[in-house]
């Protein structure tokens, strides 16, 4: 805690650098938690910045996570950031009606905002409940995650846990997450996540010094499109095609159906398992849900035959009901429509010459998807370029 209450009711904010005399005076004074009214003590050492702490075994209903150096430093820097913008922020604002304390609180243009700098994993249900209580109190919550959660891999690959997916916010076209590092003072924005699996994504990431950033920039949606993810995506897919059989169990519906249809991971058609906008709405890996579309619809169609959007939707929803296709639970976004990524997938298939859209609800099969082999370097490059061209053309339209 960075805020305590004196016996006379006055709130005191502990500063990052305290003179020895002030430390001695505060340690002699009776200080209380503004939320639970229990006694707190000043802690001043070489590891953490000065802060207040409840006495041992005390329970505070407003406390949501332990006070680490990272959390203390982060909310202090965010506090200073808001102060420089003349927003008159309040540290550790306590909301009596809901018994919760935000890291930061401020008002602007008759609207109330709460910033939560989240540094530890807490139950997903608690995140949703805290957000709900803020909204019911007329406060707009802004969740900023610690940079320590951001797990970067080679080729722009990022791993997002189920906990982190909880915080995804924004419009369907520009979903994003914010991360902050007190050490580097960088605010990182993760957006446009192209899902490869339930946890692996290839997003667009931008990091900027928080100094010149305005608080209103947190609400600006920039629909930036990039094709940089296509090459590492397909490279990872080729690795999956080589190695998936090692973990493929006959009890798994996906692998069982694949083998019964005469295919194996290495011979899946190249058009199954491609990156799709809005694909993050489906938790099931694209390789799997796109396979089910082929298995239930396209596989049964001859070249030149037709199928309707209604037929496609029924097939997809049937797989959702069976649990073969699982939608992602995103509590901070609008209700998901499983057909959004499916329709995007079919737009790409049209660009690849697999199908043709005749009307809004009617499609024609132009060619059957045929089994493939693991692409050699030249074939892989050609498919990369073709898919990249199709995706970029689709984005522009």
């Amino acid at each position: 805690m960075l805020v305590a209450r004196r016996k006379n009711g006055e709130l005191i904010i502990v500063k990052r650098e305290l003179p020895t005399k002030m430390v001695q005076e505060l340690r002699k004074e009776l200080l209380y938690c503004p939320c639970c009214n229990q006694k707190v003590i000043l802690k001043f050492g070489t590891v953490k910045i000065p802060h207040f702490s409840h006495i041992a075994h005390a329970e505070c209903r407003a406390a949501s996570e332990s006070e680490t150096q990272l959390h203390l430093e982060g909310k202090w820097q965010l506090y200073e950031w808001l102060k420089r913008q003349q927003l008159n922020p309040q540290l550790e604002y306590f909301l009596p009606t809901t018994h919760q304390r935000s890291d930061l609180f401020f008002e602007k243009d008759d609207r109330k905002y709460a910033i939560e700098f989240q540094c530890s994993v807490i139950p997903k249900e608690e995140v949703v409940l805290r957000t709900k209580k803020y909204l019911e109190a007329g406060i707009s919550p802004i969740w900023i995650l610690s940079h320590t959660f951001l797990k970067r891999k080679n080729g722009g690959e990022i791993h997002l846990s189920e906990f982190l997916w909880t915080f995804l916010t924004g419009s369907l076209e520009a979903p994003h997450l914010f991360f902050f590092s007190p050490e580097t003072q960088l605010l990182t924005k993760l957006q446009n996540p192209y899902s490869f699996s339930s946890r692996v994504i290839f997003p667009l990431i931008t990091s900027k010094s928080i100094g010149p950033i305005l608080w209103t920039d947190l609400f600006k949606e920039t629909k930036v499109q990039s094709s940089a993810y296509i090459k590492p995506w397909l490279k990872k897919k080729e690795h999956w095609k080589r190695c998936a059989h090692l973990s493929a169990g006959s009890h798994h519906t996906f692998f069982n159906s694949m083998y019964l249809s005469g295919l194996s991971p290495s011979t899946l058609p190249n058009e199954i398992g491609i990156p799709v906008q809005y694909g993050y709405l489906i938790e099931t890996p694209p390789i799997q849900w796109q396979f089910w579309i082929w298995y239930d619809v396209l596989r049964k169609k001859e070249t030149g035959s037709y199928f309707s959007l209604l037929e496609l939707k029924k097939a997809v929803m049937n797989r959702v009901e069976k649990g073969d296709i699982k939608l992602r639970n995103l509590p901070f976004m609008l209700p998901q429509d499983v057909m959004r990524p499916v329709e995007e997938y079919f737009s790409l298939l049209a660009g690849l010459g697999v199908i043709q859209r005749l009307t809004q609800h009617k499609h024609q099969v132009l060619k059957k998807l045929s089994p493939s082999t693991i692409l050699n370097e030249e074939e892989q490059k050609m498919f990369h370029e073709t898919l990249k061209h199709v995706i970029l053309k689709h984005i522009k339209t």
Side-chain angles (χ1 to χ4, degrees), residues 285-300:
I287 291 176
Q288 293 187 25
W289 66 257
Q290 292 174 20
F291 166 82
W292 289 124
I293 288 176
W294 169 81
Y295 187 83
D296 294 335
V297 180
L298 297 180
R299 178 176 67 104
K300 303 173 182 179

Side-chain angles (χ1 to χ4, degrees), residues 254-296:
F254 165 65
F255 287 108
N256 191 37
S257 298
M258 183 195 308
Y259 290 127
L260 289 177
S261 65
L263 295 175
S264 67
S266 63
T267 61
L268 272 181
N270 296 326
E271 295 84 356
I272 294 178
I274 57 179
V276 175
Q277 188 179 16
Y278 309 117
Y280 66 89
L281 295 175
I282 301 178
E283 184 173 328
T284 303
I287 291 176
Q288 293 187 25
W289 66 257
Q290 292 174 20
F291 166 82
W292 289 124
I293 288 176
W294 169 81
Y295 187 83
D296 294 335

Side-chain angles (χ1 to χ4, degrees), residues 106-113 138-140 215:
F106 65 96
E107 296 184 51
K108 182 67 174 177
D109 298 330
D110 297 324
R111 294 193 63 181
K112 301 176 182 179
Y113 300 89
I139 300 173
S140 298
W215 73 275

